[in-house]
Coordinates of all heavy atoms in Angstrom, one line a residue:
M1 N 28.1 111.2 -157.7 CA 28.2 109.9 -157.2 C 26.7 109.4 -157.1 O 25.8 110.1 -156.6 CB 28.9 109.9 -155.8 CG 29.0 108.5 -155.2 SD 29.6 108.5 -153.5 CE 31.2 109.1 -153.7
S2 N 26.6 108.1 -157.5 CA 25.2 107.5 -157.4 C 24.9 107.1 -155.9 O 25.8 107.0 -155.1 CB 25.1 106.3 -158.3 OG 26.0 105.3 -157.9
K3 N 23.7 106.8 -155.7 CA 23.2 106.4 -154.4 C 23.8 105.1 -154.0 O 23.9 104.2 -154.8 CB 21.7 106.3 -154.4 CG 21.1 105.8 -153.1 CD 19.6 105.8 -153.3 CE 18.9 105.0 -152.1 NZ 19.2 103.5 -152.2
S4 N 24.3 105.0 -152.7 CA 24.8 103.7 -152.2 C 23.9 103.0 -151.3 O 23.2 103.6 -150.5 CB 26.1 104.0 -151.4 OG 27.1 104.6 -152.3
D5 N 23.8 101.7 -151.5 CA 23.0 100.9 -150.6 C 23.8 100.4 -149.4 O 23.2 100.1 -148.4 CB 22.4 99.6 -151.4 CG 21.6 100.0 -152.6 OD1 20.6 100.8 -152.4 OD2 22.0 99.6 -153.7
A6 N 25.1 100.3 -149.6 CA 26.0 99.9 -148.5 C 27.2 100.7 -148.5 O 27.8 101.0 -149.6 CB 26.3 98.4 -148.7
I7 N 27.8 101.0 -147.4 CA 29.1 101.7 -147.2 C 30.0 100.8 -146.4 O 29.6 100.3 -145.4 CB 28.9 103.0 -146.5 CG1 28.1 104.0 -147.5 CG2 30.3 103.6 -146.2 CD1 27.8 105.3 -146.8
I8 N 31.2 100.6 -147.0 CA 32.2 99.7 -146.3 C 33.4 100.6 -146.0 O 33.9 101.4 -146.8 CB 32.7 98.6 -147.3 CG1 31.5 97.7 -147.5 CG2 33.8 97.8 -146.7 CD1 31.7 96.7 -148.6
V9 N 33.8 100.6 -144.7 CA 35.0 101.3 -144.3 C 36.2 100.4 -144.2 O 36.2 99.5 -143.4 CB 34.7 102.0 -142.9 CG1 35.9 102.8 -142.4 CG2 33.5 102.9 -143.0
G10 N 37.2 100.7 -145.1 CA 38.4 99.9 -145.1 C 38.5 99.0 -146.3 O 37.7 98.1 -146.5
A11 N 39.5 99.2 -147.1 CA 39.7 98.4 -148.4 C 40.8 97.4 -148.2 O 41.7 97.3 -149.0 CB 40.0 99.3 -149.5
G12 N 40.8 96.7 -147.0 CA 41.6 95.6 -146.9 C 41.0 94.3 -147.5 O 40.0 94.4 -148.2
P13 N 41.6 93.2 -147.3 CA 41.0 92.0 -147.9 C 39.6 91.7 -147.6 O 38.8 91.3 -148.4 CB 41.9 90.8 -147.4 CG 43.2 91.5 -147.1 CD 42.9 92.9 -146.6
S14 N 39.2 92.0 -146.3 CA 37.8 91.7 -145.9 C 36.9 92.7 -146.6 O 35.8 92.3 -147.1 CB 37.7 91.9 -144.4 OG 38.6 91.0 -143.7
G15 N 37.2 94.0 -146.5 CA 36.4 95.0 -147.2 C 36.2 94.8 -148.7 O 35.1 94.9 -149.2
L16 N 37.3 94.4 -149.3 CA 37.3 94.3 -150.8 C 36.5 93.0 -151.2 O 35.7 93.1 -152.1 CB 38.7 94.2 -151.3 CG 39.5 95.4 -151.3 CD1 41.0 95.2 -151.7 CD2 38.9 96.5 -152.1
Y17 N 36.6 92.0 -150.4 CA 35.8 90.8 -150.7 C 34.3 91.0 -150.5 O 33.5 90.7 -151.3 CB 36.3 89.6 -149.8 CG 35.5 88.4 -150.0 CD1 35.8 87.5 -151.1 CD2 34.4 88.0 -149.2 CE1 35.1 86.4 -151.4 CE2 33.7 86.8 -149.5 CZ 34.0 86.0 -150.5 OH 33.3 84.9 -150.8
L18 N 34.0 91.7 -149.3 CA 32.6 92.0 -149.1 C 32.1 92.9 -150.1 O 30.9 92.7 -150.6 CB 32.5 92.7 -147.7 CG 31.1 93.1 -147.3 CD1 30.2 91.9 -147.2 CD2 31.1 93.8 -145.9
A19 N 32.9 93.9 -150.6 CA 32.4 94.8 -151.6 C 32.1 94.1 -152.9 O 31.1 94.3 -153.6 CB 33.4 95.9 -151.9
R20 N 33.0 93.1 -153.3 CA 32.8 92.4 -154.5 C 31.5 91.6 -154.5 O 30.7 91.6 -155.4 CB 34.0 91.4 -154.7 CG 33.9 90.7 -156.1 CD 35.0 89.7 -156.3 NE 34.7 88.5 -155.5 CZ 35.4 87.4 -155.6 NH1 36.4 87.3 -156.5 NH2 35.1 86.3 -154.9
E21 N 31.3 90.9 -153.3 CA 30.0 90.1 -153.2 C 28.8 91.0 -153.2 O 27.8 90.7 -153.9 CB 30.1 89.2 -152.0 CG 31.2 88.2 -152.0 CD 31.1 87.3 -153.2 OE1 30.0 86.7 -153.4 OE2 32.0 87.2 -154.0
L22 N 28.8 92.1 -152.4 CA 27.6 92.9 -152.3 C 27.3 93.6 -153.6 O 26.2 93.9 -153.9 CB 27.8 93.9 -151.2 CG 27.7 93.4 -149.7 CD1 27.9 94.6 -148.7 CD2 26.4 92.7 -149.5
S23 N 28.4 94.0 -154.3 CA 28.2 94.7 -155.6 C 27.4 93.9 -156.6 O 27.0 94.5 -157.6 CB 29.5 95.2 -156.1 OG 30.3 94.1 -156.6
K24 N 27.3 92.6 -156.4 CA 26.5 91.8 -157.4 C 25.0 92.1 -157.3 O 24.3 91.9 -158.2 CB 26.8 90.3 -157.1 CG 28.2 89.9 -157.4 CD 28.4 88.5 -156.9 CE 29.9 88.1 -157.1 NZ 30.2 86.7 -156.6
V25 N 24.6 92.7 -156.1 CA 23.2 92.9 -155.9 C 22.8 94.3 -155.5 O 21.6 94.6 -155.3 CB 22.6 91.9 -154.8 CG1 22.7 90.5 -155.3 CG2 23.4 92.0 -153.5
M26 N 23.8 95.2 -155.2 CA 23.5 96.5 -154.8 C 24.7 97.4 -155.1 O 25.8 97.0 -155.4 CB 23.2 96.5 -153.3 CG 24.4 96.1 -152.4 SD 24.0 96.1 -150.6 CE 22.8 94.9 -150.4
N27 N 24.4 98.7 -154.9 CA 25.5 99.7 -155.1 C 26.3 99.9 -153.8 O 25.7 100.1 -152.8 CB 24.9 101.1 -155.5 CG 24.3 101.1 -156.9 OD1 24.8 100.5 -157.8 ND2 23.1 101.7 -157.0
V28 N 27.6 99.8 -154.0 CA 28.5 99.8 -152.8 C 29.5 100.9 -152.9 O 30.1 101.1 -154.0 CB 29.2 98.4 -152.7 CG1 30.2 98.5 -151.5 CG2 28.2 97.3 -152.5
T29 N 29.8 101.6 -151.8 CA 30.9 102.6 -151.7 C 31.9 102.1 -150.7 O 31.4 101.7 -149.6 CB 30.3 104.0 -151.4 OG1 29.5 104.4 -152.5 CG2 31.5 105.0 -151.3
I30 N 33.2 102.2 -151.0 CA 34.2 101.9 -150.0 C 35.0 103.2 -149.6 O 35.3 103.9 -150.5 CB 35.2 100.9 -150.6 CG1 34.5 99.6 -151.1 CG2 36.3 100.5 -149.5 CD1 35.5 98.6 -151.7
F31 N 35.2 103.4 -148.4 CA 36.0 104.5 -147.9 C 37.3 103.9 -147.3 O 37.3 102.9 -146.5 CB 35.3 105.3 -146.8 CG 34.2 106.1 -147.2 CD1 32.9 105.7 -147.0 CD2 34.4 107.3 -147.9 CE1 31.8 106.4 -147.5 CE2 33.3 108.0 -148.4 CZ 32.0 107.6 -148.2
E32 N 38.4 104.4 -147.9 CA 39.8 103.9 -147.4 C 40.6 105.1 -147.0 O 40.7 106.1 -147.8 CB 40.5 103.1 -148.5 CG 41.9 102.8 -148.3 CD 42.2 102.1 -147.0 OE1 41.5 101.1 -146.7 OE2 43.1 102.5 -146.2
E33 N 41.2 105.0 -145.8 CA 41.9 106.2 -145.3 C 43.3 106.4 -146.0 O 43.8 107.5 -146.0 CB 42.1 106.1 -143.8 CG 43.0 104.9 -143.4 CD 43.1 104.8 -141.8 OE1 42.6 105.7 -141.1 OE2 43.6 103.8 -141.4
D34 N 43.9 105.3 -146.5 CA 45.2 105.5 -147.2 C 44.9 105.7 -148.7 O 43.9 105.4 -149.2 CB 46.0 104.2 -147.0 CG 46.4 104.0 -145.6 OD1 46.7 105.0 -144.9 OD2 46.4 102.8 -145.1
R35 N 46.0 106.4 -149.3 CA 45.8 106.8 -150.7 C 45.9 105.6 -151.6 O 45.3 105.6 -152.7 CB 46.9 107.8 -151.0 CG 46.7 109.2 -150.3 CD 47.9 110.1 -150.6 NE 48.0 110.4 -152.0 CZ 47.4 111.4 -152.6 NH1 46.5 112.2 -151.9 NH2 47.5 111.7 -153.9
M36 N 46.7 104.6 -151.3 CA 46.9 103.4 -152.2 C 46.6 102.1 -151.4 O 46.9 102.0 -150.2 CB 48.3 103.4 -152.7 CG 48.6 104.5 -153.7 SD 50.3 104.3 -154.4 CE 50.1 102.8 -155.4
L37 N 45.9 101.2 -152.1 CA 45.6 99.9 -151.5 C 46.9 99.2 -151.2 O 47.7 99.1 -152.0 CB 44.7 99.1 -152.3 CG 43.3 99.7 -152.7 CD1 42.4 98.7 -153.5 CD2 42.6 100.2 -151.4
G38 N 47.0 98.6 -150.0 CA 48.1 97.8 -149.6 C 49.4 98.6 -149.2 O 50.4 98.0 -148.9
I39 N 49.3 99.9 -149.2 CA 50.4 100.7 -148.8 C 49.9 101.7 -147.7 O 49.0 102.5 -148.0 CB 51.0 101.5 -149.9 CG1 51.5 100.4 -151.0 CG2 52.1 102.4 -149.5 CD1 52.3 100.9 -152.1
P40 N 50.4 101.7 -146.5 CA 51.6 100.8 -146.1 C 51.1 99.3 -145.9 O 50.0 99.1 -145.7 CB 51.9 101.4 -144.7 CG 50.6 102.0 -144.2 CD 49.9 102.5 -145.4
P41 N 52.1 98.4 -146.1 CA 51.7 97.0 -146.0 C 51.3 96.6 -144.6 O 51.9 97.1 -143.6 CB 53.0 96.3 -146.4 CG 54.1 97.3 -146.2 CD 53.5 98.6 -146.4
H42 N 50.3 95.8 -144.5 CA 49.8 95.3 -143.2 C 50.4 93.9 -142.9 O 50.0 93.3 -141.9 CB 48.3 95.3 -143.1 CG 47.7 96.7 -143.1 ND1 46.7 97.0 -142.3 CD2 48.0 97.8 -143.8 CE1 46.4 98.3 -142.5 NE2 47.1 98.8 -143.4
C43 N 51.1 93.4 -143.9 CA 51.5 92.0 -143.8 C 53.0 92.0 -144.0 O 53.6 92.6 -144.8 CB 50.9 91.2 -144.9 SG 51.4 89.6 -145.1
T44 N 53.7 91.2 -143.1 CA 55.2 91.0 -143.2 C 55.6 90.1 -144.3 O 56.8 90.0 -144.6 CB 55.7 90.5 -141.9 OG1 55.1 89.2 -141.6 CG2 55.4 91.5 -140.7
G45 N 54.7 89.3 -144.8 CA 55.0 88.3 -145.8 C 55.7 87.1 -145.2 O 56.3 86.2 -145.9
L46 N 55.7 86.9 -143.8 CA 56.3 85.8 -143.2 C 55.6 84.5 -143.6 O 56.3 83.5 -143.8 CB 56.3 85.9 -141.6 CG 57.1 87.0 -141.1 CD1 56.9 87.2 -139.6 CD2 58.6 86.7 -141.3
V47 N 54.3 84.5 -143.7 CA 53.6 83.3 -144.1 C 53.3 83.5 -145.6 O 52.5 84.2 -146.0 CB 52.3 83.1 -143.4 CG1 51.6 81.9 -143.8 CG2 52.5 83.1 -141.9
N48 N 54.2 82.8 -146.4 CA 54.1 82.9 -147.9 C 54.5 81.5 -148.5 O 54.7 80.6 -147.7 CB 54.9 84.0 -148.4 CG 56.3 83.9 -148.0 OD1 56.8 82.8 -147.8 ND2 57.0 85.0 -147.9
L49 N 54.6 81.5 -149.8 CA 54.9 80.2 -150.4 C 56.3 79.7 -150.0 O 56.5 78.5 -149.8 CB 54.8 80.3 -151.9 CG 53.4 80.4 -152.5 CD1 53.5 80.6 -154.0 CD2 52.6 79.2 -152.1
S50 N 57.2 80.6 -149.8 CA 58.6 80.2 -149.4 C 58.6 79.5 -148.0 O 59.2 78.5 -147.8 CB 59.5 81.4 -149.4 OG 59.6 81.9 -150.7
S51 N 57.8 80.1 -147.1 CA 57.8 79.6 -145.7 C 57.1 78.2 -145.7 O 57.4 77.3 -144.9 CB 57.2 80.5 -144.7 OG 55.9 80.9 -145.2
L52 N 56.1 78.1 -146.6 CA 55.4 76.8 -146.7 C 56.3 75.7 -147.2 O 56.3 74.5 -146.8 CB 54.2 76.9 -147.6 CG 53.0 77.8 -147.1 CD1 51.9 77.9 -148.1 CD2 52.5 77.2 -145.7
K53 N 57.3 76.1 -148.1 CA 58.3 75.1 -148.6 C 59.2 74.6 -147.4 O 59.5 73.5 -147.3 CB 59.1 75.7 -149.7 CG 58.3 75.7 -151.0 CD 59.1 76.4 -152.1 CE 58.2 76.6 -153.4 NZ 58.9 77.4 -154.4
V54 N 59.6 75.6 -146.6 CA 60.4 75.2 -145.4 C 59.7 74.2 -144.5 O 60.3 73.3 -144.0 CB 60.8 76.5 -144.6 CG1 61.4 76.2 -143.3 CG2 61.7 77.4 -145.4
L55 N 58.4 74.4 -144.4 CA 57.6 73.5 -143.6 C 57.3 72.2 -144.4 O 56.5 71.3 -143.9 CB 56.3 74.1 -143.2 CG 56.5 75.4 -142.3 CD1 55.2 76.1 -142.1 CD2 57.1 74.9 -140.9
A56 N 57.8 72.0 -145.6 CA 57.6 70.8 -146.4 C 56.1 70.7 -146.8 O 55.6 69.5 -146.9 CB 58.1 69.6 -145.7
Y57 N 55.4 71.8 -146.8 CA 54.0 71.7 -147.2 C 53.8 71.5 -148.7 O 54.5 72.2 -149.5 CB 53.2 73.0 -146.8 CG 51.8 73.1 -147.4 CD1 50.8 72.3 -146.8 CD2 51.5 73.8 -148.5 CE1 49.5 72.4 -147.3 CE2 50.3 73.9 -149.0 CZ 49.2 73.2 -148.4 OH 48.0 73.2 -148.9
R58 N 53.0 70.6 -149.1 CA 52.7 70.3 -150.5 C 51.3 70.6 -150.8 O 50.4 70.0 -150.2 CB 53.1 68.9 -150.9 CG 54.5 68.6 -150.9 CD 54.9 67.3 -151.4 NE 56.3 67.0 -151.3 CZ 56.8 65.8 -151.4 NH1 56.0 64.7 -151.7 NH2 58.1 65.6 -151.3
P59 N 51.0 71.6 -151.7 CA 49.6 71.9 -152.0 C 48.9 70.7 -152.7 O 49.6 69.9 -153.4 CB 49.7 73.1 -152.9 CG 51.0 73.1 -153.4 CD 51.9 72.4 -152.4
P60 N 47.7 70.5 -152.5 CA 47.0 69.4 -153.1 C 47.0 69.5 -154.6 O 46.9 70.6 -155.1 CB 45.5 69.5 -152.6 CG 45.4 70.8 -152.0 CD 46.8 71.3 -151.6
S61 N 47.3 68.4 -155.3 CA 47.3 68.5 -156.8 C 46.0 68.3 -157.4 O 45.0 68.0 -156.8 CB 48.3 67.4 -157.3 OG 47.9 66.2 -156.8
Ligands
FAD101 C1 52.4 92.9 -138.3 C2 51.5 92.0 -139.2 C3 52.0 90.9 -139.9 C4 51.2 90.1 -140.7 N1 51.8 89.1 -141.4 C5 51.1 88.3 -142.2 C6 51.7 87.3 -143.0 O1 52.9 87.2 -143.0 N2 50.9 86.5 -143.8 C7 49.6 86.7 -143.8 O2 48.9 85.9 -144.5 N3 49.0 87.6 -143.0 C8 49.7 88.4 -142.2 N4 49.1 89.3 -141.4 C9 47.6 89.4 -141.4 C10 47.0 90.1 -142.5 O3 47.6 91.4 -142.7 C11 45.5 90.3 -142.1 O4 44.9 89.0 -141.9 C12 44.7 91.1 -143.1 O5 45.3 92.2 -143.6 C13 43.3 91.4 -142.5 O6 42.5 92.0 -143.5 P1 41.3 93.0 -143.1 O7 40.7 93.4 -144.4 O8 40.5 92.3 -142.1 O9 42.0 94.2 -142.3 P2 43.1 95.2 -142.9 O10 44.0 94.6 -143.9 O11 43.8 95.8 -141.7 O12 42.3 96.3 -143.7 C14 41.6 97.3 -143.0 C15 41.6 98.6 -143.9 O13 40.8 99.6 -143.3 C16 41.4 100.8 -143.4 N5 40.8 101.7 -142.3 C17 40.9 101.5 -141.0 N6 40.2 102.4 -140.3 C18 39.7 103.2 -141.3 C19 38.8 104.4 -141.2 N7 38.4 104.9 -140.0 N8 38.5 105.0 -142.4 C20 38.9 104.5 -143.6 N9 39.7 103.4 -143.7 C21 40.1 102.8 -142.6 C22 42.9 100.5 -143.3 O14 43.7 101.6 -143.8 C23 43.0 99.2 -144.0 O15 43.3 99.4 -145.4 C24 49.8 90.2 -140.7 C25 49.2 91.3 -139.9 C26 50.1 92.1 -139.1 C27 49.4 93.3 -138.3

């Protein structure tokens, strides 16, 4: 493994976004306790495109 300039603990949306941005300028290593990203799910999916339709939300065109 090459030398890391930054270590991020947790590969959720926040950690992955931060890793993507930092990796443009430095070497980044992510530690994730679960074997697969997104499993187990941390999100119920209650707020999704279907629920936005129920609320009559229209995305900007
Ligand atoms: C019950 C519930 C329902 C939700 N429903 C919705 C929804 O319907 N719609 C919606 O948009 N959002 C929903 N959310 C919110 C959404 O899940 C969060 O906003 C989002 O996951 C936050 O991302 P994060 O990267 O900050 O944290 P997380 O997604 O929690 O990521 C943190 C990561 O760090 C890892 N980790 C933690 N400690 C360690 C450690 N010591 N070592 C290694 N790895 C570690 C975890 O395994 C995890 O992968 C819901 C959240 C919960 C709890």
